Amino acid sequence: MAPWQTPLERVLLKELTACARLSYERGWCFGTAGNFSLRLRPELMWQSPSGLNKGNLQPELFLPIRVQDGALLDPLRSLVPSLEMPMHRGIYLGRPKARAVVHCHPPKVVKRSQQVGLEGLSFVGAEMIKALGAGDYNGQVCCPVLPNLNKSEMECVAEKLPSLLEEVALVILAGHGVYAWGQSPLEALAVVEALEFLCQTH
Ligand SMILES: [Zn+2]
């Protein structure tokens, strides 16, 4: 039987849809770009469906996915999970405390990731790096940039991703966008906001 959303999952999925709408309104999810997920139970994640406008997501549209192997637990629905679901799975496999993942295409992040290539994005001496985990504004934060993935590479990325993650709660695909995670949807969105601000100003 397909799993139900618990009351807490429902509340946090509402918060996640608000984050998706904000991302859309800021121009970070134009078209049907962007994908979002929530994982409160170790074995179950709720994934946004493929092909929908992210300004209009609703909690009941999210699809239940088994974290271990990516199986869709409600196959009778007409919706299918986002093609980028394996990135979300990989993050949950590698970061047991992550409860929400936000993925979008902020323009400055996309542009900077094309300029720096795979050496990664480093930020030093800026107040906003504290939002990415630096203890002090004089410190340094390194954000991993991985090559973008085609469809077949995306399908098998989940098991490889945990070893590629670093301390900072985000990973960037070059020329594509950022995946950020946190204990809540708003915490994950705040990571994206800090990164986009740093890419605009640094
Ligand atoms: Zn994307």
Side-chain angles (χ1 to χ4, degrees):
M1 201 172 74
W4 294 87
Q5 291 173 3
T6 65
L8 183 57
E9 284 172 337
R10 190 88 177 165
V11 167
L12 288 172
L13 283 169
K14 274 199 166 169
E15 186 177 302
L16 190 58
T17 59
C19 292
R21 190 170 57 250
L22 271 173
S23 300
Y24 176 76
E25 288 169 355
R26 289 168 178 169
W28 298 352
C29 291
F30 277 154
T32 58
N35 33 81
F36 301 80
S37 69
L38 182 78
R39 190 274 306 266
L40 297 192
R41 301 176 237 181
E43 74 287 0
L44 176 72
M45 59 191 262
W46 293 97
Q47 177 71 53
S48 58
S50 177
L52 299 186
N53 178 293
K54 302 310 180 301
N56 264 326
L57 280 182
Q58 304 297 327
E60 57 273 21
L61 296 176
F62 281 72
L63 297 163
I65 304 285
R66 192 161 54 213
V67 174
Q68 201 55 34
D69 59 5
L72 173 62
L73 299 175
D74 190 2
L76 297 180
R77 298 265 294 271
S78 57
L79 298 167
V80 293
S82 164
L83 289 173
E84 296 176 37
M85 178 270 283
M87 285 291 294
H88 295 245
R89 258 188 76 221
I91 289 165
Y92 291 131
L93 290 172
R95 291 291 177 267
K97 289 184 179 164
R99 297 168 91 196
V101 175
V102 166
H103 167 64
C104 52
H105 303 171
K108 288 287 190 296
V109 174
V110 173
K111 189 169 182 185
R112 286 292 304 275
S113 72
Q114 286 169 315
Q115 290 167 342
V116 297
L118 305 183
E119 75 223 42
L121 272 172
S122 280
F123 301 103
V124 285
E127 178 68 18
M128 198 57 113
I129 65 173
K130 295 196 299 196
L132 297 184
D136 186 80
Y137 76 92
N138 267 325
Q140 178 173 10
V141 168
C142 299
C143 303
V145 177
L146 306 179
N148 200 8
L149 305 170
N150 64 27
K151 191 165 178 280
S152 58
E153 290 165 338
M154 182 63 82
E155 281 166 5
C156 54
V157 73
E159 280 71 24
K160 296 177 196 156
L161 190 61
S163 66
L164 303 173
L165 301 179
E166 294 181 20
E167 210 171 313
V168 64
L170 66 89
V171 61
I172 297 162
L173 293 185
H176 176 164
V178 57
Y179 299 79
W181 55 91
Q183 299 262 1
S184 70
L186 281 170
E187 192 176 298
L189 182 67
V191 172
V192 178
E193 288 172 330
L195 178 68
E196 176 68 357
F197 180 85
L198 284 163
C199 287
Q200 285 172 7
T201 57
H202 219 59

